[in-house]
Every structure is written in C-alpha cells, then in structure tokens.
Amino acid sequence: MSFTKKVTTARLSYDGKELDLPVLEGDMGERGLDIRNLRQETGLVTFDPGMANSGVCESNITFVDGAKGILRYRGYDIEDLAEHCSFLEVAYLLVHGFLPTPSEYNAFSHLMNQHSMLHENMRHFFSLYPDHAHPMAILSSMVVSLSTFYPELEADSTEAIDITVSRLLSKLRTIAAFSYKKYKGDPIVYPRPDLRYCENFLNMMFHTPVNNYEPDPVVTRALNQLLILHADHEQNCSTSVVRAVGSSRANLYASISAGICALWGPLHGGANQRVLEILEDAMHSGASPKLLVEKAKDRNNNFRLFGFGHRVYKTYDPRAKVAKKICTQVISHLSHHDPLLDYAQELEAVALADPYFQERHLYPNVDFFTGLAYRAMGIPVNMFTVMFALGRLPGWIAQWLEQRDGEGGRIVRPRQLYVGPVHRTVAETLASKPYVHPTHS
Ligand code: SDX
C-alpha cells in the first residue's frame, strides 16, 4: 500500500512518444517522479550512479531536510530526543514508531538484560582473532555468527520482534566491549543486571580486576546522547545495504552484519576514526589548520577533510551541533584540556570561512566531533566506528522491518548501462597468436 499521493504529472517525450509520469509527494513536501512503469512503457532505465537523485522507498521512520539541517525520528527532532530520552527509549521509538510507556520500557529493559550474555562458545571466538584485529571485523563476523545460535525472526508478533531486537541490541554491546578487551589483552567483563544500557557498556569496557570502574553520570548521559545522534539517517549507504540484503529474505543478523561492513568505510561511518587520525597527525607534524584545508582543496591528491561534507546536508549537520556541545561538556567535566579540540575548532573555523568549502556547502558532519568525545571517555580510535554501529543498530533494524513489510517487499535489483566488449569467442581470442591481453595490445 502506497502512502505518498500523486500531486501532478511530468510529461516525458521520447522517441516520438509521450509518457505522463506521476509525481508523488511525501508528507514533508518532497516530491518524486514515479518511474515504476518507465522501462515497460519506453524501454528506458534511469541512470543515477551513487543514487544521489533516486528515491528507493517510502519510509515513515526518519526525515532529513538537508537544506534546513533538520533530522527527525518518527517526527521527533533529534535535539528533543537527545535532551529528553535515553538511547533505549529512542531504540524502542525507531523500531515500534512510538515512545515506550513506563511498563513497555521496563519490559524492554528486562529483555535487554536477559539477552546481554553471549553463548559461551562465542566467547572463545575472540581468542582466535589476531591480537590487533580491527573491532569492526570482529563485530560483523560475530553478528552473522549469532544466526547460528538463534533461530530466525520466528514470528511477526511485537513480542517476537522485541526479543530479536533486544537480543541484537544487547549482544552487539557485549560483543563491542569484548572486542575492546581482546584488543587490550584484558580479561573480559560480563554484563551486570543492575546497570542500564550505557552504564553496562562502560563497565564492560573499563572495569578490570584492579580498577573498580564507577559509571560517571555525565559520561553515561553523553554516551546515551551520542548513540541517539547515530540511531538512524534515512537511506544512507549502510542502511541501503541492510535493506537490500533483507530484500533477498536473508535473516536479520546477516543483513546487519552486511550493514556493519558498509559502515566501516572511511567515506561513511569510518570517517570518525579518520578524523581523529588526521587531527593527531596534523598536531604531531605541526601542520596548521590552514595547511590541511589547502590540502583538502588540492585536486592533485585524494586527501579529504574527513568529518566534512555530506550527501544530503548542505548546511550544518544538526547532529554535529549537538555532538560539539557534548564533546565540550565531556572534556571540561573530565577536567582535562584536549588540545585536539582546540585544533578541531580552529580547523572548523578555517574551513567554514573558505570559499571552496562554502561553494560546495561543506560543513561539519556527525563524524567531526564525536571522536573527540569518545577519546575523552577513554574509548580508543579503532572503536569509534563500532560506537557508530552501536548507535545505528536500532535504525537498521527498523528499516529492515519496514523493507520486509513494505510495498510487496520486492528484491532490490537495480539496472545498468553496459559499456564492455560486445561479443567475443575464446577461439577468436586464442587464434590471435601470440595471445596478448587486450589491455596490453
Ligand atoms: C556519514 O549518508 C548519510 O546519511 C551518512 C551519515 C549517516 O548518518 O549514515 O550521515 C554518516 O557517512 C557522514 C559522512 C562521513 N564521511 C566523511 O566525512 C568523508 C568526507 N566527506 C566526503 O567524502 C563526502 O562529503 C561525502 C562522502 C560525505 C559525500 O560525498 P558526495 O555527496 O558524493 O559528494 P562528492 O564526493 O561528489 O563531493 C562534492 C564536491 C567534490 O568537489 P568537486 O568535484 O565538485 O570539485 O565536494 C568535494 C568533492 O571533492 N568534497 C570535499 C569533501 N567532501 C566533498 N572536499 C574536501 N573534503 C571533503 N570532506
């Protein structure tokens, strides 16, 4: 069932024919050309590498206005949710479409605790990875391995979905913390029944036999807010992957595992790690913010100012504004001055004042400040994208469910324009003695 409404038509004239294509309108006024009959009527496909101009679904989960810098989950502004909710409440909102009542929240929280452990066999997987395995590789392989321990989404009942959602949300947190302990060479710390989501994570990360970790309420609050900022973002790269894998009717764990791999890329969720690496390198090499900005403008190298620019936001990413505030609060609360924050703020000012960045509407995105906050919390750089995945998980799940229950749930299978060899035979190729590889001829 379609929720957008046809508001007008667009006339395509091609090859002596005319075709009226419906123009559909979403609830926030965005419009799309409905081309579902285009190939059948004209033999044409659209051509849109990177899908920057293509709407691939109707969705009632998240809305982004890239021109105004608006981000809403199920109609709530991100700033409102970050201020008034916990990450678990926002996870529930994304999956179910409404904020939980106190009894729903308590039931969900109870499920989170029940499913926070890993099967003991999985605990041993960690010892088989090389010492400095990247935690994103561990995360992705452990998530798809969960499907070997737990049956697929048994039924569509709210209860069955809550079990699978809480199992994934809770176990991903445990896997993330265990991967950190593996990286550090420290003994793993099991989840505790008396701690809430973020406190439990921080305790599993930083408690050791010789360091009785006490969750810091300011840090716990900041972590809740940072995870909320990352929880969903329309049809971004990794969410599109989760939906595409889910469209083949692969199970939820396999779909999320694929999404984790897509998020790992430095152009996507891996950018928060790259931002810190760039800032640290620049500080150590003495490169000025101005020098970095000039390097990012130089087309003769493929250096980019990670944490800047966005496919959709052509103004300040609203998440970056909140992340900047959180980052400053956490650093000052933990009463250590971080020169990297000063450098980042100077770099931001230089870039925003530069015509190259202004002409291309390049502003700080969600990844520019978040890493500095995680660093202040003691979370290492190679765990930053894992933190992004922890936050994004409820959004991936909500989008996966929407894809599965959506308009016929059709398998995602785009078209292409072929530009390769028209037709060759092996005999002809081998007959052209001596056989020389075509690219060498
Ligand atoms: C995330 O899609 C989402 O919603 C993603 C995300 C989410 O929540 O899921 O918001 C999370 O991935 C945030 C983005 C994190 N990535 C980075 O910070 C990497 C650095 N940024 C870029 O690589 C880039 O801006 C992208 C990938 C984010 C967007 O790429 P686009 O939309 O394909 O834009 P583009 O590469 O075509 O760039 C347009 C122009 C180009 O210059 P011209 O060819 O026009 O001269 O802007 C330039 C680019 O060279 N440009 C940059 C730049 N980003 C774009 N130049 C220098 N530094 C940059 N960061």
Side-chain angles (χ1 to χ4, degrees):
M1 179 182 143
S2 187
F3 298 96
T4 47
K5 48 191 178 298
K6 176 186 166 186
V7 290
T8 181
T9 55
R11 173 153 299 178
L12 172 71
S13 56
Y14 169 72
D15 203 15
K17 285 181 281 187
E18 295 211 328
L19 178 65
D20 281 348
L21 292 168
V23 176
L24 308 175
E25 187 169 274
D27 291 341
M28 296 302 291
E30 71 285 22
R31 290 189 169 190
L33 191 62
D34 182 350
I35 57 165
R36 280 174 284 189
N37 294 329
L38 179 70
R39 204 165 55 80
Q40 182 188 325
E41 299 286 336
T42 66
L44 290 171
V45 295
T46 58
F47 185 62
D48 185 23
M51 294 200 280
N53 305 288
S54 297
V56 292
C57 65
E58 291 178 335
S59 179
N60 61 17
I61 300 171
T62 294
F63 172 72
V64 173
D65 183 323
K68 296 178 186 153
I70 292 172
L71 169 57
R72 293 182 186 142
Y73 300 155
R74 303 286 190 183
Y76 294 93
D77 285 319
I78 191 73
E79 299 84 351
D80 188 6
L81 293 169
E83 184 60 32
H84 299 109
C85 297
S86 71
F87 171 61
L88 214 51
E89 287 170 316
V90 172
Y92 193 97
L93 167 69
L94 284 167
V95 171
H96 291 291
F98 46 82
L99 287 167
T101 61
S103 63
E104 286 165 337
Y105 178 81
N106 291 334
F108 196 53
S109 189
H110 175 67
L111 281 172
M112 290 295 293
N113 177 53
Q114 260 189 309
H115 296 298
S116 55
M117 298 282 285
L118 295 184
H119 191 291
E120 273 300 290
N121 289 5
M122 290 192 85
R123 222 197 75 186
H124 303 302
F125 289 16
F126 289 87
S127 59
L128 303 176
Y129 291 106
D131 284 349
H132 287 290
H134 197 290
M136 284 298 276
I138 297 176
L139 209 68
S140 176
S141 47
M142 294 298 267
V143 164
V144 71
S145 302
L146 284 172
S147 62
T148 64
F149 290 88
Y150 303 102
E152 305 218 355
L153 205 55
E154 297 94 347
D156 294 359
S157 69
T158 305
E159 218 249 329
I161 289 173
D162 273 356
I163 288 174
T164 303
V165 169
S166 50
R167 176 179 283 143
L168 244 180
L169 274 174
S170 201
K171 290 184 189 320
L172 192 70
R173 170 190 54 181
T174 304
I175 292 167
F178 282 16
S179 65
Y180 170 70
K181 289 302 198 186
K182 146 112 196 138
Y183 177 76
K184 288 273 285 176
D186 284 353
I188 59 168
V189 172
Y190 284 103
R192 282 174 34 183
D194 59 321
L195 296 178
R196 288 185 178 270
Y197 187 89
C198 287
E199 286 173 341
N200 230 332
F201 173 72
L202 293 167
N203 186 62
M204 285 193 275
M205 287 279 285
F206 299 121
H207 178 86
T208 72
V210 294
N211 167 34
N212 241 343
Y213 178 75
E214 274 305 314
D216 175 325
V218 172
V219 172
T220 304
R221 176 93 198 102
L223 182 55
N224 268 289
Q225 292 178 310
L226 289 170
L227 294 178
I228 289 170
L229 295 184
H230 288 86
D232 195 47
H233 211 248
E234 291 190 351
Q235 304 310 313
N236 60 84
C237 177
S238 54
T239 297
S240 303
V241 164
V242 169
R243 289 183 76 120
V245 174
S247 77
S248 72
R249 291 291 176 266
N251 67 63
L252 178 61
Y253 302 107
S255 307
I256 298 298
S257 176
I260 291 169
C261 292
L263 187 73
W264 194 359
L267 292 188
H268 191 14
N272 56 16
Q273 175 170 344
R274 288 293 293 121
V275 169
L276 250 292
E277 288 163 354
I278 288 170
L279 292 177
E280 285 173 338
D281 291 352
M283 287 286 285
H284 294 142
S285 67
S288 69
K290 183 73 186 144
L291 187 73
L292 272 196
V293 165
E294 290 309 314
K295 196 175 158 192
K297 290 158 58 179
D298 177 3
R299 309 318 309 266
N300 297 318
N301 67 60
N302 56 9
F303 175 78
R304 287 204 156 182
L305 201 51
F306 286 80
F308 264 80
H310 198 277
R311 172 63 58 79
V312 178
Y313 290 118
K314 299 311 167 189
T315 183
Y316 216 103
D317 183 331
R319 300 168 298 178
K321 284 183 187 166
V322 181
K324 184 176 182 179
K325 229 186 293 175
I326 294 168
C327 165
T328 313
Q329 280 164 359
V330 167
I331 288 176
S332 60
H333 170 73
L334 294 173
S335 68
H336 61 235
H337 172 67
D338 186 349
L340 276 191
L341 177 59
D342 299 339
Y343 190 96
Q345 288 172 321
E346 196 187 333
L347 178 59
E348 176 196 19
V350 172
L352 291 179
D354 190 287
Y356 171 97
F357 281 73
Q358 291 168 348
E359 286 152 16
R360 292 167 180 77
H361 306 289
L362 302 177
Y363 291 83
N365 59 48
V366 65
D367 292 309
F368 190 64
F369 288 105
T370 43
L372 286 162
Y374 291 140
R375 170 183 146 99
M377 295 176 185
I379 296 172
V381 175
N382 71 343
M383 283 286 290
F384 287 3
T385 312
V386 169
M387 301 308 293
F388 196 139
L390 276 183
R392 185 53 50 92
L393 181 58
W396 282 334
I397 293 170
Q399 297 270 354
W400 184 87
L401 291 169
E402 185 176 76
Q403 160 72 33
R404 189 197 60 170
D405 306 335
E407 187 204 335
R410 299 190 71 198
I411 190 165
V412 171
R413 202 282 185 208
R415 294 296 183 128
Q416 63 167 30
L417 296 182
Y418 177 71
V419 290
V422 175
H423 182 254
R424 296 185 286 183
T425 65
V426 172
E428 281 163 5
T429 304
L430 296 182
S432 58
K433 295 280 185 220
Y435 171 56
V436 177
H437 192 287
T439 49
H440 300 158
S441 53

